[in-house]
Amino acid sequence: MSNLSQRFNNLSLYKKILLILSTTLLFVFFAFVVGIQLLSQYYARELYTSNAQSLNYVSSFVSARMETVESGSARILSDTIIQTNLTDIMDAPTSIRNAQRKQTIYQALYPYIFDDDYIKSISLVLPDDTLICMGNTSDLDAFPLEELAENAAACQGRASWSAPASPGNTIVLYRDIRQLRHLTLDHLAYLYIVIDLDQLISDALENAGYSLSTHSRFILFAGNAQFYPQETYHPELYSSLLQSLNHGSSHYSILSIDHRKTFVIQGDFPHTGWNYLYFQDYDPLFSAIHSVLIRVILFSAAVVMIALFLALLLLRRILHHLDLLVEKIRRFGQGLPDPKDTAHYDYSLRTDEIGQLHVSFDEMKSNVKTLRDKNYEKQLLLRDTNIKMLQQQINPHFLYNTLDTINWMAQKYGADDISTMVRSLGNLFRAAVNSKEDLIPLKKELDVLKDYIRIQQIRFGDRLDFQLHVPDDISHIYVPTLCIQPLVENALKYALEFSDDVCHITVTISEKDTVYQITVANTGSHFEDDLIWKLEHRQVTPQGSGVGLVNINSRLKLLFGDRYGLSIYNEDGMAIVLLSIPKEREDSYAQIDDCR
């Protein structure tokens, strides 16, 4: 036995599949022949037993799917994002942020709609009757929502199921979402998950081996009322059949309906207490089995041979591309280029699994290279950071004490300019070294800027004309630490250090729509086109303040998103840097200061 297993393992994939396929078809052929012979003798008993067992499978299949949906609804109830935003809406029903919170709840429902293939929609009804629906909002129109809401409240958070008010193709799970914070269990919303019953029943019957023909019908009842499907099929029979239903087991009967023998199976769903009737026409199934037995066997043999031949052709075509994929993987592991056979074939045009495998591998290969490059860059950055940390290990208190001593001596000797410069320099060092916050009030940032300007005005005298335009109330504006002073320093560097002309620098704080804009404009210099892009892509070597521009732009995008950052342009003979930040401090960064 071990030798056979070893020999099988040593076969190529093509030979393995060929062997399995041939063996399977051979067994199928002989099983079919034997089955036909046995079925000719015992077809009645086998039909009854098979159908009864299959309907039990249908019931189990449907119940299992319903339990899966219930499990998913429990995860929705305990979802942190949904709980937090529903609680915030309940605590502040008139808040202007409730629209954003409802949008967040809507996005949080997105993963759950894929928990089961039969979920049509997931809806939350808030206390103010607001409907948050992932799916078609009209799905709930078939159900008595007021009655379901009362039942959900009475069930105290337990999941319940309901049939539609009139015959239809859907059912709904409903339950009360209660507040888990501090275990108050206050009502937050009602959860409704609408299930595609038509598809669920169809798949269950199909998996159980039933043919969904015009003579095969599956009918569901809640009590004695039919709720699936929409059409009726001999409703005069329902009452008598349901009265004979033995709860907890499935049984069958044979009726003559429309002059045809019909196999009727009766049963229930223990999970919900619903009853079902299944009508199957079995009159023509084996009407001439003995007369066509030989022809069926011959036809089956021919079909098996043709199927085997076609399968071999298809298999060879499929495995050719799999072999190419294996070769690509092997060559990638060895650092070699892809094989030439794949160079002229575009797998992105294929939508089957083979194309997806090739495309996914190519994407993975590209991602691995990207990650490898990024990791290398991070290692270099980490090395540079460690070096800078070692260089900056000077004791800041020693520096502050030295500057205070110089300031005291300057005041003693009446050197007011020196005193002002030392005091401002000390303030700048304290702001740079002691700042541990990502966001600070604008006033604090402007104080740093003023200290810097004092030093530069003493240095350059009348050659520096600085103007600051600030709104009356800036107490509510927060900006990233040290985001304005480096921009002004950049303007001074290129406008004064290489020219003897007077430099006019203007810093303006303004608001526009949903953003605050901080503009630094100066004369005496000129920006290259697309300077930020060139710095980031290393088309221009960043030096001095160029590094600062890239860092400030990166910090803004990291804190507020890609819509915000620096804009650099030239206008009316002035070089302008525009810094934009959002007015409202979003949850992703608004509480940064509180967490410090």
Side-chain angles (χ1 to χ4, degrees):
M1 190 68 181
S2 60
N3 291 334
L4 290 176
S5 177
Q6 184 63 32
R7 293 176 63 183
F8 179 80
N9 292 333
N10 291 334
L11 294 176
S12 65
L13 180 60
Y14 177 81
K15 292 182 179 180
K16 288 179 182 177
I17 297 179
L18 178 60
L19 179 60
I20 294 173
L21 182 62
S22 302
T23 304
T24 301
L25 289 175
L26 187 61
F27 274 106
V28 168
F29 175 76
F30 282 107
F32 179 79
V33 173
V34 174
I36 290 294
Q37 293 175 340
L38 293 176
L39 213 60
S40 64
Q41 302 175 17
Y42 306 107
Y43 77 97
R45 178 170 58 84
E46 294 294 329
L47 179 64
Y48 299 157
T49 303
S50 174
N51 278 274
Q53 292 176 348
S54 297
L55 261 295
N56 278 333
Y57 173 82
V58 172
S59 175
S60 301
F61 182 89
V62 174
S63 296
R65 286 296 187 178
M66 294 171 71
E67 290 175 359
T68 300
V69 175
E70 288 183 11
S71 299
S73 69
R75 295 198 303 274
I76 295 176
L77 263 63
S78 59
D79 188 290
T80 303
I81 296 176
I82 295 176
Q83 277 280 332
T84 299
N85 284 275
L86 287 176
T87 301
D88 291 343
I89 292 174
M90 182 187 71
D91 293 340
T94 60
S95 173
I96 61 175
R97 301 192 64 185
N98 283 347
Q100 180 185 358
R101 291 169 179 149
K102 293 174 183 178
Q103 179 66 22
T104 302
I105 294 173
Y106 176 83
Q107 293 174 351
L109 291 175
Y110 183 79
Y112 297 105
I113 202 167
F114 298 104
D115 273 359
D116 195 278
D117 296 334
Y118 305 105
I119 295 179
K120 291 190 68 178
S121 64
I122 301 177
S123 303
L124 292 179
V125 178
L126 276 58
D128 61 353
D129 292 332
T130 298
L131 176 64
I132 302 175
C133 179
M134 176 64 68
N136 194 337
T137 57
S138 63
D139 290 341
L140 292 178
D141 295 342
F143 303 94
L145 296 186
E146 294 183 0
E147 179 181 344
L148 297 186
E150 294 178 0
N151 294 340
C155 290
Q156 299 180 347
R158 296 190 303 274
S160 300
W161 291 87
S162 174
S166 58
N169 296 325
T170 58
I171 56 176
V172 66
L173 176 144
Y174 61 95
R175 65 193 306 172
D176 188 8
I177 298 181
R178 299 196 168 195
Q179 183 177 346
L180 299 180
R181 184 187 295 174
H182 308 306
L183 296 179
T184 60
L185 301 182
D186 293 331
H187 168 68
L188 296 178
Y190 293 114
L191 170 65
Y192 301 93
I193 302 179
V194 177
I195 302 301
D196 187 352
L197 183 60
D198 192 33
Q199 187 63 42
L200 177 59
I201 295 298
S202 297
D203 289 350
L205 291 172
E206 204 165 44
N207 291 336
Y210 287 97
S211 175
L212 303 178
S213 65
T214 56
H215 300 294
S216 298
R217 294 176 173 85
F218 191 92
I219 302 174
L220 281 173
F221 301 86
N224 292 324
Q226 173 200 350
F227 67 88
Y228 173 85
Q230 291 181 336
E231 70 273 14
T232 58
Y233 177 71
H234 291 282
E236 69 276 6
L237 301 174
Y238 297 165
S239 178
S240 60
L241 290 173
L242 290 174
Q243 288 178 0
S244 64
L245 181 62
N246 179 20
H247 292 281
S249 63
S250 299
H251 59 284
Y252 56 82
S253 57
I254 300 176
L255 302 178
S256 180
I257 301 176
D258 297 334
H259 307 292
R260 301 179 70 88
K261 290 183 179 181
T262 303
F263 188 58
V264 184
I265 296 181
Q266 310 160 46
D268 64 359
F269 293 96
H271 189 71
T272 58
W274 295 336
N275 303 322
Y276 66 82
L277 294 174
Y278 182 72
F279 298 83
Q280 183 183 27
D281 179 26
Y282 80 104
D283 190 60
L285 292 181
F286 303 104
S287 58
I289 192 170
H290 293 290
S291 61
V292 299
L293 179 60
I294 302 301
R295 284 181 290 176
V296 168
I297 294 176
L298 295 176
F299 176 78
S300 300
V303 168
V304 168
M305 296 301 295
I306 294 173
L308 182 60
F309 175 76
L310 295 177
L312 292 177
L313 294 179
L314 182 61
L315 185 61
R316 186 181 297 276
R317 185 177 182 85
I318 292 174
L319 291 182
H320 171 69
H321 294 283
L322 285 178
D323 292 337
L324 289 178
L325 178 60
V326 173
E327 180 64 14
K328 286 171 65 175
I329 295 173
R330 185 188 66 81
R331 294 174 70 89
F332 175 71
Q334 296 176 353
L336 301 175
D338 290 344
K340 295 181 179 180
D341 292 345
T342 61
H344 56 80
Y345 195 94
D346 188 2
Y347 286 99
S348 63
L349 301 178
R350 294 182 57 161
T351 58
D352 61 349
E353 290 79 359
I354 299 296
Q356 293 177 8
L357 282 173
H358 277 272
V359 171
S360 298
F361 175 75
D362 292 337
E363 292 176 352
M364 182 205 70
K365 183 170 61 175
S366 177
N367 292 337
V368 167
K369 184 179 182 302
T370 301
L371 290 174
R372 183 179 58 197
D373 294 341
K374 287 184 177 179
N375 184 61
Y376 178 74
E377 293 176 358
K378 289 179 179 179
Q379 293 297 327
L380 292 178
L381 180 61
L382 180 61
R383 186 196 64 183
D384 294 340
T385 302
N386 291 334
I387 293 174
K388 291 180 180 179
M389 289 179 63
L390 292 174
Q391 294 172 345
Q392 295 175 359
Q393 285 183 344
I394 183 172
N395 189 336
H397 296 290
F398 170 76
L399 178 62
Y400 299 152
N401 292 336
T402 302
L403 291 175
D404 287 340
T405 301
I406 297 174
N407 180 37
W408 174 80
M409 293 178 67
Q411 292 178 353
K412 178 180 177 181
Y413 291 105
D416 295 336
D417 289 348
I418 297 177
S419 175
T420 300
M421 291 186 69
V422 171
R423 186 168 58 253
S424 299
L425 181 60
N427 293 337
L428 285 175
F429 274 118
R430 286 187 177 89
V433 175
N434 296 333
S435 178
K436 298 181 180 179
E437 300 176 347
D438 293 321
L439 296 175
I440 62 173
L442 176 60
K443 181 180 182 304
K444 185 181 294 187
E445 178 69 12
L446 293 179
D447 290 340
V448 174
L449 175 62
K450 291 174 183 178
D451 286 324
Y452 175 77
I453 291 297
R454 289 190 192 99
I455 296 174
Q456 300 303 331
Q457 285 178 334
I458 294 173
R459 178 185 177 190
F460 294 105
D462 295 337
R463 292 177 56 206
L464 172 60
D465 175 28
F466 176 79
Q467 295 183 13
L468 176 63
H469 302 289
V470 182
D472 294 335
D473 182 14
I474 61 172
S475 61
H476 59 288
I477 304 178
Y478 282 74
V479 297
T481 306
L482 293 178
C483 67
I484 302 178
Q485 182 271 332
L487 301 181
V488 176
E489 181 181 355
N490 181 71
L492 284 170
K493 177 178 178 62
Y494 292 98
L496 281 175
E497 291 189 359
F498 304 105
S499 174
D500 294 331
D501 296 334
V502 176
C503 175
H504 300 278
I505 299 179
T506 303
V507 176
T508 305
I509 314 296
S510 61
E511 58 179 293
K512 181 179 180 181
D513 298 331
T514 60
V515 300
Y516 289 111
Q517 294 182 337
I518 302 173
T519 304
V520 179
N522 68 276
T523 61
S525 64
H526 184 84
F527 285 123
E528 295 185 28
D529 294 336
D530 300 323
L531 178 59
I532 290 291
W533 186 87
K534 291 179 179 178
L535 289 171
E536 291 177 340
H537 292 78
R538 300 182 180 180
Q539 292 190 6
V540 174
T541 303
Q543 296 179 353
S545 56
V547 178
L549 292 176
V550 174
N551 289 342
I552 293 173
N553 188 56
S554 300
R555 287 169 56 203
L556 291 172
K557 293 185 180 299
L558 181 63
L559 286 171
F560 307 118
D562 292 336
R563 293 187 301 169
Y564 305 97
L566 295 182
S567 297
I568 295 179
Y569 57 95
N570 303 289
E571 185 176 271
D572 297 332
M574 302 187 77
I576 299 175
V577 179
L578 175 63
L579 183 151
S580 60
I581 59 174
K583 281 186 178 180
E584 290 197 18
R585 304 175 68 196
E586 303 294 342
D587 288 341
S588 60
Y589 61 87
Q591 299 177 2
I592 291 176
D593 299 329
D594 299 333
C595 297
R596 297 281 174 186

